[in-house]
Amino acid sequence: ETQGDSFISTHTGKEYKIRQHVNCQPMNVVYLVTCRQHRFQGVGSTDNFKKRTSNHMSHIRHGRRTCDIASHFIDSQDCGLNDFVIQIIVQIERPFRDKKKTWERLRRFEGHWQVELDTIAPNGMNTINEYQRSMQYSNGQWN
């Protein structure tokens, strides 16, 4: 796990400042995973960062392809958990009372950063563009 006041897209080389302080119980966050070995990145979101990080590492360790990020580390013969770096890049500080609205907002942020950091395959670990997917979903229905 890496914390800092900035992060860099390994694909574009552009650096971004983190403009907020993440509290000690990180909830409702968008995070960036970087593979040190391949300089490949993926963006995800979760309502419980510590649990999600633990799940990513467990899935990689046990070869469970539960998401694009785990699949990268499992399928790459020359990288492993030592190459796994994760960093919070956005935290929703005032979540909605309605968890569904908070989740939709997280997905929009996730999708934005997938596009901005160019983490969608073949340039990164993500295969689903959450930004486009979130735009297709409105008022609780898929358009």
Side-chain angles (χ1 to χ4, degrees):
E1 188 175 325
T2 302
Q3 293 300 333
D5 60 356
S6 67
F7 55 98
I8 296 173
S9 167
T10 57
H11 190 258
T12 68
K14 188 171 178 183
E15 182 174 0
Y16 300 86
K17 295 284 184 199
I18 296 174
R19 303 192 191 288
Q20 60 191 150
H21 175 74
V22 176
N23 65 39
C24 61
Q25 291 294 328
M27 308 293 271
N28 301 312
V29 299
V30 175
Y31 58 88
L32 175 65
V33 171
T34 302
C35 172
R36 285 186 186 135
Q37 177 70 20
H38 298 113
R39 297 187 42 78
F40 224 47
Q41 293 178 313
V43 174
S45 63
T46 183
D47 61 349
N48 186 328
F49 181 69
K50 289 185 181 198
K51 183 177 180 181
R52 186 67 184 120
T53 300
S54 176
N55 285 344
H56 273 311
M57 292 175 20
S58 175
H59 297 167
I60 293 165
R61 192 176 300 112
H62 295 102
R64 295 182 61 214
R65 288 176 181 79
T66 54
C67 69
D68 301 329
I69 290 170
S71 294
H72 168 80
F73 288 90
I74 293 164
D75 295 339
S76 301
Q77 300 297 322
D78 58 343
C79 72
L81 285 176
N82 290 339
D83 299 301
F84 179 90
V85 178
I86 189 165
Q87 180 178 18
I88 295 170
I89 59 176
V90 174
Q91 181 174 27
I92 295 178
E93 295 170 338
R94 291 186 281 294
F96 295 103
R97 287 187 183 175
D98 179 349
K99 287 186 178 189
K100 189 174 178 181
K101 285 185 179 183
T102 298
W103 190 244
E104 288 172 9
R105 190 169 180 206
L106 269 177
R107 287 298 171 112
R108 282 191 169 94
F109 274 121
E110 178 183 1
H112 165 79
W113 284 107
Q114 287 174 338
V115 170
E116 183 68 26
L117 298 171
D118 202 7
T119 65
I120 305 208
N123 299 327
M125 295 180 206
N126 298 116
T127 58
I128 297 171
N129 181 322
E130 292 295 342
Y131 184 76
Q132 288 179 345
R133 190 168 133 180
S134 69
M135 292 294 114
Q136 295 169 350
Y137 187 82
S138 65
N139 298 322
Q141 296 183 12
W142 292 99
N143 294 327

